[in-house]
Amino acid sequence: MLRSLWRSIDRFSVQHFQYVINELRKIKVVDEHNRELVMNLLQSVVEIVTYGDRQDPHIFECFMERQVLADFVRILKISQESKIDGPLLQYLSIMIQNMDSEHAIFYCFSNGYMNNIILHPYKFDGGDLAPYYVSFLRAISNKINKDTLCLLVNVQGDAVVSFPLYTEALRFAQHEEKMIQTAIRALVLNIYNVSDDMVYQFISTPPVSEYFSDLVRRLSNLCFCLDDFVYDKGKMDAQKRRDGVILEADKIADELHYFKDILSVGEPRLTRLVTENLLNGLVFPLLFSFMASKNKNGSDLSAITSLYIISCLLQVVGGRSMINNVAGVILYHILNLNVRIPSEGNASDVHDDVKTFSKCLNEVERVICYDPESNGSESINVTYLGAHWEGFMSSFNINSSNSEICSKRSGIFAFVFCEDQSLLLASIFLLLILTESKDLDCLLSSMSGLSEKEDEMLQTDDTSISKSVDESIFIRFMPEILNALLNVLAFQQPLSIMMLWNAGWCLQKLLNFHREGLNGDNLLLFTFLNNLPNIKIHYLCWSLLFTTNPPMVKHLHILLGKGWLMQ
């Protein structure tokens, strides 16, 4: 008899669980005096329910019959400055994370319990409550699927009118703590990957859809922060400036990878929404700003930073819409110049060429203004492009008296032929990213003159466009571009290893497109390179070593014969 009185209580029995529930329901107010007791009771509930979900179905049946989650909601409402909400959210997160059965998850998400807890008026006063709250939201998002997501939204008719899990999470999207930002982005991606049509409609409708414009605005602000370090006027030491550039560049890369993650969901509405915001909020303003003027002017980003951002965006985010819109804007003024300034020759032939090329320009405008990923069914809303296109084109001040000079001074070629070596390399790098992209429209690829598919003809209404017209865009400037790159390697002042590597990489890529080898001026630079430091010879030989251009193999053998590679 005495032994039975001292027998230990089975903490994971239905009887003990009912006892804990009864004790919890005796609580009428939560304050500093009973805070520890309430915390212990909540912890016991979570431990027993987690055990019951895996080991004893009777425990979970009791959990549902007694509607214990309603007590969690009640405890939140009766707490008075007791700071019980943080531990309560933590216990709930643990319980949800450890639930295995779909039946248990379905019940917990039913009856509006989770939405009531999500929408409780918490006081986020800079303490540790925000991490607990966000962790709770993320735990819920980890368990949602097509069957349970409908339990967390409020629907009227055929439309979602509220989605607390998503909208409350977005309040922390720009939080100063990196861990909270990361958790919110993981939560958002969990929701996107469920692929619910009504939820997608809710997400893509204002004001909820402003989340995407806020993301682009944040990215734009980071670009300006990077630009401040790039164009620091001696206000900080070199190492601090270098660390700042690296830090801001890493932040920008993180943002771009998040955009890529959203696009990887593959939902057309999301893809269109993200693409529109990136184009209208960042890409077109950057392109129009740095292509209209190569100087840092007022609030605009500098050209070197703009080129860097666009290049990173194309490499990380990519996509047919992004690639073709950037290529269309960059190439358009050169193509337009070819139409307005016909080459010398027979007047009738020129008229025919211009007429045919005008059709190509119309096709370029179609590529820019429509989303290639939607097969023409839905257009990208390029509002910024429509509002600024005319002013952008007029800023080039094309002079028909000298087409060659105008081509070099307009748009991207203003940087390819400038004296600033950083701008030269960055602009060539951007062109190569575009031309090497598999997503580049065949029309733009052929017109660039740098396409490896040289035998492909332009697919327009008139297929008689000759290859000579295509080559007039880039190929006619190839000797000057190669000469500019060789001049970078021949520069007398010391250059960074990265600049040398980029120069060698660009040289190697361009030589694969250029089948005619180097001209006389380029070969003179080779003679001059005999006196260069070994490191520059190394990068030059490296660039030639990987080229498939037959004439360049000969030049490489010359360098090897002089023993430069062995020095």
Side-chain angles (χ1 to χ4, degrees):
M1 180 68 180
L2 292 176
R3 292 181 62 185
S4 64
L5 291 175
W6 290 101
R7 185 172 54 191
S8 62
I9 300 174
D10 184 1
R11 294 181 58 246
F12 297 105
S13 65
V14 175
Q15 293 76 15
H16 181 66
F17 186 40
Q18 290 178 336
Y19 166 78
V20 173
I21 296 172
N22 291 333
E23 290 297 309
L24 186 63
R25 290 183 172 174
K26 292 178 182 179
I27 305 296
K28 302 304 179 182
V29 64
V30 182
D31 53 27
E32 294 181 358
H33 301 289
N34 63 355
R35 179 176 181 273
E36 292 297 325
L37 171 63
V38 175
M39 287 176 57
N40 291 334
L41 291 173
L42 293 175
Q43 182 178 358
S44 296
V45 169
V46 169
E47 289 176 349
I48 296 171
V49 171
T50 302
Y51 171 84
D53 178 52
R54 299 181 179 181
Q55 303 293 334
D56 190 347
H58 298 293
I59 290 178
F60 202 83
E61 288 177 5
C62 178
F63 175 73
M64 292 187 293
E65 290 175 359
R66 302 290 298 271
Q67 297 185 4
V68 180
L69 279 177
D71 289 298
F72 279 75
V73 178
R74 184 180 65 85
I75 292 297
L76 278 176
K77 293 180 179 179
I78 65 175
S79 59
Q80 298 178 348
E81 303 295 333
S82 61
K83 296 184 178 180
I84 195 68
D85 40 9
L88 183 146
L89 291 171
Q90 183 182 25
Y91 296 147
L92 281 175
S93 299
I94 294 172
M95 184 180 73
I96 294 171
Q97 289 170 3
N98 288 280
M99 281 185 173
D100 292 333
S101 68
E102 294 183 3
H103 176 67
I105 296 170
F106 192 90
Y107 169 76
C108 288
F109 288 2
S110 301
N111 301 315
Y113 295 132
M114 291 301 158
N115 281 345
N116 288 331
I117 296 172
I118 291 172
L119 293 173
H120 179 76
Y122 300 97
K123 296 181 180 179
F124 300 104
D125 53 0
D128 58 355
L129 181 58
Y132 288 130
Y133 182 73
V134 171
S135 179
F136 168 66
L137 297 181
R138 183 175 181 179
I140 296 176
S141 74
N142 288 335
K143 298 296 183 177
I144 59 175
N145 53 40
K146 287 190 175 182
D147 296 324
T148 56
L149 183 62
C150 60
L151 303 174
L152 299 172
V153 299
N154 296 317
V155 179
Q156 290 183 2
D158 295 329
V160 173
V161 294
S162 69
F163 187 9
L165 175 64
Y166 184 72
T167 54
E168 294 302 308
L170 294 189
R171 293 174 54 194
F172 298 87
Q174 307 294 341
H175 198 276
E176 58 186 9
E177 290 189 25
K178 182 66 176 178
M179 291 183 63
I180 291 180
Q181 285 185 30
T182 302
I184 293 300
R185 293 186 173 187
L187 178 155
V188 167
L189 290 174
N190 286 339
I191 293 174
Y192 293 164
N193 279 302
V194 174
S195 301
D196 184 272
D197 287 337
M198 288 197 298
V199 170
Y200 280 141
Q201 185 62 37
F202 176 78
I203 289 169
S204 58
T205 303
V208 182
S209 61
E210 292 175 3
Y211 171 61
F212 300 100
S213 59
D214 291 339
L215 285 176
V216 174
R217 195 174 299 112
R218 171 183 169 83
L219 176 57
S220 179
N221 292 335
L222 290 175
C223 294
F224 279 100
C225 291
L226 173 63
D227 202 45
D228 289 339
F229 281 103
V230 171
Y231 272 85
D232 175 68
K233 302 298 182 181
K235 298 178 182 178
M236 62 183 73
D237 60 77
Q239 185 59 43
K240 183 178 180 180
R241 178 170 176 261
R242 182 177 181 275
D243 292 342
V245 169
I246 294 174
L247 177 62
E248 297 302 325
D250 287 343
K251 291 180 181 179
I252 291 173
D254 288 342
E255 297 296 315
L256 293 177
H257 280 288
Y258 180 51
F259 280 112
K260 180 64 175 179
D261 290 339
I262 297 176
L263 293 175
S264 297
V265 173
E267 208 286 323
R269 280 167 289 191
L270 279 181
T271 299
R272 188 173 65 256
L273 195 58
V274 170
T275 304
E276 285 179 359
N277 279 279
L278 279 172
L279 288 173
N280 292 317
L282 182 70
V283 175
F284 289 141
L286 283 184
L287 287 175
F288 286 13
S289 176
F290 85 81
M291 289 182 66
S293 173
K294 63 180 179 179
N295 298 318
K296 184 176 174 64
N297 181 20
S299 61
D300 295 333
L301 285 179
S302 63
I304 188 65
T305 303
S306 299
L307 287 165
Y308 171 77
I309 298 301
I310 296 296
S311 297
C312 289
L313 188 143
L314 295 183
Q315 287 184 303
V316 176
V317 178
R320 295 177 62 192
S321 295
M322 195 65 63
I323 291 290
N324 287 290
N325 273 276
V326 172
V329 173
I330 286 180
L331 300 180
Y332 188 92
H333 76 279
I334 304 174
L335 307 179
N336 190 49
L337 183 66
N338 279 271
V339 173
R340 293 171 56 180
I341 308 171
S343 57
E344 297 180 0
N346 184 276
S348 60
D349 294 339
V350 168
H351 176 75
D352 292 338
D353 287 342
V354 171
K355 182 178 179 180
T356 303
F357 213 73
S358 295
K359 295 181 179 180
C360 293
L361 282 179
N362 293 332
E363 288 296 308
V364 173
E365 292 176 348
R366 178 191 59 78
V367 171
I368 295 174
C369 296
Y370 289 89
D371 180 12
E373 290 157 357
S374 64
N375 296 321
S377 60
E378 295 184 71
S379 63
I380 288 290
N381 183 18
V382 285
T383 55
Y384 190 97
L385 179 65
H388 296 80
W389 183 256
E390 184 175 352
F392 172 65
M393 291 308 304
S394 64
S395 66
F396 291 113
N397 295 321
I398 298 177
N399 181 5
S400 60
S401 63
N402 194 330
S403 62
E404 199 76 4
I405 294 177
C406 289
S407 295
K408 292 185 180 181
R409 290 181 179 176
S410 297
I412 195 69
F413 279 106
F415 306 105
V416 173
F417 296 107
C418 72
E419 296 180 358
D420 189 318
Q421 294 173 335
S422 297
L423 288 175
L424 183 154
L425 290 175
S427 56
I428 294 177
F429 189 75
L430 175 56
L431 289 174
L432 288 172
I433 290 174
L434 289 171
T435 54
E436 288 197 324
S437 173
K438 296 180 180 179
D439 292 321
L440 187 64
D441 187 88
C442 60
L443 173 71
L444 292 171
S445 178
S446 300
M447 290 177 123
S448 72
L450 290 180
S451 174
E452 291 182 335
K453 301 177 182 180
E454 294 182 353
D455 296 330
E456 291 186 2
M457 303 300 290
L458 296 179
Q459 302 299 317
T460 62
D461 294 337
D462 190 341
T463 58
S464 62
I465 303 172
S466 65
K467 193 183 305 180
S468 61
V469 177
D470 305 337
E471 293 178 348
S472 67
I473 299 173
F474 282 133
I475 299 303
R476 64 178 177 180
F477 296 133
M478 184 62 75
E480 291 92 333
I481 296 175
L482 293 175
N483 193 70
L485 283 173
L486 290 172
N487 271 301
V488 172
L489 291 168
F491 194 58
Q492 291 298 302
Q493 297 181 10
L495 299 174
S496 67
I497 297 298
M498 186 58 68
M499 284 192 68
L500 292 172
W501 189 93
N502 287 334
W505 184 86
C506 291
L507 186 62
Q508 177 256 320
K509 292 292 183 181
L510 288 172
L511 289 174
N512 284 337
F513 291 115
H514 191 50
R515 303 297 179 181
E516 299 178 4
L518 300 179
N519 62 17
D521 293 335
N522 300 148
L523 292 174
L524 285 176
L525 274 173
F526 266 81
T527 304
F528 175 76
L529 288 172
N530 188 28
N531 299 320
L532 288 179
N534 294 341
I535 183 64
K536 291 191 176 183
I537 298 301
H538 167 75
Y539 280 100
L540 179 62
C541 290
W542 178 88
S543 67
L544 299 179
L545 182 63
F546 291 96
T547 183
T548 59
N549 188 323
M552 296 316 303
V553 176
K554 177 181 178 181
H555 297 309
L556 176 61
H557 288 165
I558 295 174
L559 291 177
L560 292 173
K562 291 184 177 181
W564 288 352
L565 197 58
M566 302 300 296
Q567 294 181 4

